[in-house]
Amino acid sequence: MSDLIKDLSELRLSYEKGELYENQVSPNPHEQFLQWFNYALEAKVHEPYAMSVATCNVQGRPHVRTLLLRGATEAGYDFYTNYDSQKGQDLAENPYVELMFYWHDLERQIRIGGQVNKIPELEAIDYYHKRPRDSQIAAHISTPQSGVIESRDVLVQRFNQLHGQVGDKAELPKPEFWGGYRLQPDYYEFWQGRPNRLHDRLSYAKVDGTWKLQRLMP
């Protein structure tokens, strides 16, 4: 077994791939998000739609995990999950969420905060049936999500059992406990790494229905 690293103080990089100035960004933060997101796609960043999703329960305990962005429009930012999961329980108690995208290759980060609402059922059904068949089956058997299971073998057995039952059945109905959330933002922050830790941070906060752009200390 290799020795554990005890001192991380010398592990550091200099961020030198970009800059971010107020006259370079859109006055609309969603448009700015799309500009950066599309650039990440063109740059072939690995899974640029992967994001950290932070929730907090009624006791104030935070939980964070990585999910995939499945919609980004003026209406909001969409992700799907099991309503009975830890995140679903948190959101039932506290609907405020923060998303974070970190694109190491571009030395960029975006934070988006706001309140979520459940995506309408017909939209969730439509998205569910666009998923690969095996992913549909996994949604059925992975419940309660975040719950304790005896072993991976038990999980695989459940999957294989349902897979055998449904076979080539034309349509597997969406589980009632599975669906989506749409984040309606009231805050954005765009971060560009810079040398000497003098990073660029521009935030947008919604004030009286208007987006206010400000520069933040690194």
Side-chain angles (χ1 to χ4, degrees), residues 48-182:
Y49 43 85
M51 59 186 182
S52 298
V53 178
T55 60
C56 191
N57 65 18
V58 73
Q59 287 80 29
R61 179 158 189 150
H63 301 98
V64 65
R65 73 290 286 166
T66 302
L67 297 179
L68 301 180
L69 180 69
R70 285 309 183 212
T73 68
E74 288 283 359
Y77 297 80
D78 300 350
F79 59 92
Y80 290 84
T81 188
N82 186 315
Y83 291 142
D84 295 332
S85 65
Q86 178 67 65
K87 70 185 80 64
Q89 294 174 37
D90 285 356
L91 294 174
E93 298 172 349
N94 177 359
Y96 289 93
V97 172
E98 187 157 295
L99 314 179
M100 191 190 79
F101 299 83
Y102 177 61
W103 301 322
H104 172 77
D105 293 347
L106 304 178
E107 297 174 352
R108 286 178 172 177
Q109 174 180 284
I110 304 174
R111 293 170 52 202
I112 306 175
Q115 186 170 341
V116 299
N117 292 292
K118 285 185 177 180
I119 288 174
E121 182 71 2
L122 290 179
E123 286 187 46
I125 291 172
D126 181 64
Y127 172 72
Y128 176 79
H129 289 299
K130 291 178 180 177
R131 305 178 86 211
R133 185 52 169 259
D134 285 354
S135 295
Q136 295 179 29
I137 293 172
H140 272 271
I141 62 98
S142 300
T143 189
Q145 192 181 54
S146 312
V148 175
I149 191 167
E150 298 91 327
S151 68
R152 179 171 179 82
D153 288 343
V154 173
L155 184 66
V156 173
Q157 288 170 11
R158 288 186 184 180
F159 179 89
N160 290 338
Q161 182 179 17
L162 183 55
H163 196 285
Q165 289 174 357
V166 299
D168 296 326
K169 190 176 179 180
E171 184 172 284
L172 186 63
K174 182 188 77 64
E176 292 184 3
F177 53 77
W178 190 94
Y181 294 95
R182 178 165 294 147

